[in-house]
């Protein structure tokens, strides 16, 4: 089952430490053991977890990234200690469940005994998690805690332009600022729009311009 999960989960090619701006990536890239990564939605947590997997696989280690945890039974955690780098995204979506708490506690212990790395992400600090299992709470409090960076608008624009280059098109500063002035400012929302723009340019064989953005946004 673990082998099937490893083969079936696809990472974003551009979700690397090199394409992340901020100190969180630098700290996470050299971390080990149990790490608790937190930050508001859209702040790059999923990007960083996938970057950990890319780094591990490049070094020849096994790695797994799991998100949408609410779609799984907590039994999905069993046996993951056999993977060298385990990344669990949005853990706060399931920590209100007692069975998830218990199985996560067992996984933390098993990964520690196996000498592996476990990176857990959530939208809030450990203290705010709805955890009733005190032993689990203590383990998470003892983890290395890393908070994602709050990027300025200029940094977000730089990220978008970098992503555009990777996808094979140019995003001008003028168009980038137009987008940011009319859409949600979370980085995940901006990147989703960038992907839609990429698809639209291929379909329509057009460059990314303000008129094209207006058409997509319906303005």
């Amino acid at each position: 089952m673990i082998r099937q999960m490893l083969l079936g989960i696809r990472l974003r090619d551009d979700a690397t430490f090199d394409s992340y701006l901020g100190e969180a990536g630098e700290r996470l890239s050299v971390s080990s053991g149990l790490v608790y990564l937190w930050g508001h939605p859209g702040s790059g947590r999923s990007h960083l977890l996938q970057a950990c997997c890319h780094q591990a696989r490049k070094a020849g280690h096994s790695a797994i990234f799991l998100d949408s945890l609410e779609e799984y039974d907590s039994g999905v955690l069993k046996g993951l200690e056999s993977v060298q780098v385990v990344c669990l995204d949005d853990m706060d979506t399931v920590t209100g469940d007692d069975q998830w708490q218990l199985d996560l506690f067992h996984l933390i212990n098993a990964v520690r005994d196996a000498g592996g790395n476990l990176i857990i992400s959530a939208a809030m600090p450990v203290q705010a998690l709805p955890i009733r299992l005190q032993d689990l709470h203590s383990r998470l409090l003892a983890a290395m805690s890393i908070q994602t960076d709050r990027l300025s608008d200029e940094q977000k624009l730089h990220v978008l332009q970098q992503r555009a280059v990777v996808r094979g098109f140019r995003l001008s500063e003028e168009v980038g600022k137009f987008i940011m002035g009319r859409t949600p400012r979370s980085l995940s929302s901006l990147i989703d729009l960038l992907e839609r723009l990429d698809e639209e340019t291929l379909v329509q064989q057009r460059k990314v311009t303000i008129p094209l953005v207006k058409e997509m946004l319906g303005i």
Side-chain angles (χ1 to χ4, degrees):
M1 177 182 176
I2 299 299
R3 179 172 176 77
Q4 290 177 336
M5 291 173 66
L6 284 169
L7 292 174
I9 294 176
R10 183 173 177 82
L11 304 174
R12 294 174 59 118
D13 292 337
D14 56 355
T16 65
F17 286 123
D18 287 340
S19 60
Y20 180 87
L21 289 179
E23 296 180 2
E26 297 174 12
R27 294 184 61 196
L28 194 56
S29 67
V30 296
S31 66
S32 61
L34 177 61
V35 180
Y36 185 82
L37 174 69
W38 67 279
H40 59 85
S43 62
R45 287 183 284 116
S46 299
H47 180 115
L48 287 171
L49 291 186
Q50 292 182 64
C52 287
C53 291
H54 277 303
Q55 178 176 266
R57 292 178 182 179
K58 188 174 182 180
H61 304 308
S62 58
I64 188 168
F65 167 75
L66 286 178
D67 61 355
S68 302
L69 297 180
E70 68 278 6
E71 297 179 5
Y72 296 93
D73 180 271
S74 63
V76 73
L77 301 180
K78 294 179 180 177
L80 288 184
E81 66 275 7
S82 63
V83 183
Q84 290 162 297
V85 176
V86 179
C87 296
L88 304 176
D89 204 8
D90 294 324
M91 182 55 69
D92 49 303
T93 61
V94 294
T95 45
D97 182 278
D98 289 343
Q99 190 59 52
W100 265 99
Q101 291 182 33
L102 183 60
D103 287 339
L104 178 59
F105 173 69
H106 289 319
L107 177 63
I108 289 173
N109 291 336
V111 169
R112 179 194 60 193
D113 293 343
N117 301 303
L118 174 59
I119 303 98
I120 297 168
S121 98
M124 60 197 74
V126 173
Q127 295 86 341
L129 287 174
I131 294 178
R132 289 174 290 279
L133 183 61
Q134 288 304 309
D135 286 341
L136 172 60
H137 192 245
S138 297
R139 290 284 191 281
L140 293 176
L141 283 174
M144 173 184 286
S145 180
I146 299 176
Q147 183 179 6
T148 53
D149 300 88
R150 290 184 177 273
L151 300 183
S152 66
D153 286 349
E154 290 74 16
Q155 289 174 313
K156 290 177 183 177
L157 177 57
H158 180 66
V159 170
L160 291 180
Q161 290 177 317
Q162 278 188 326
R163 296 290 183 90
V165 170
V166 170
R167 291 180 171 275
F169 69 95
R170 178 177 177 274
L171 181 70
S172 70
E173 184 172 342
E174 179 186 17
V175 175
K177 288 182 176 179
F178 181 85
I179 290 172
M180 294 182 63
R182 290 160 179 82
T183 59
R185 295 290 183 87
S186 74
L187 194 55
S188 60
S189 296
L190 291 169
I191 290 173
D192 286 344
L193 178 58
L194 189 73
E195 292 177 351
R196 288 168 52 203
L197 277 170
D198 185 22
E199 293 172 1
E200 202 63 30
T201 57
L202 292 175
V203 171
Q204 297 193 31
Q205 292 295 301
R206 294 169 60 184
K207 293 182 178 180
V208 177
T209 60
I210 289 177
L212 177 61
V213 174
K214 284 183 175 180
E215 286 179 22
M216 287 190 57
L217 298 178
I219 56 177

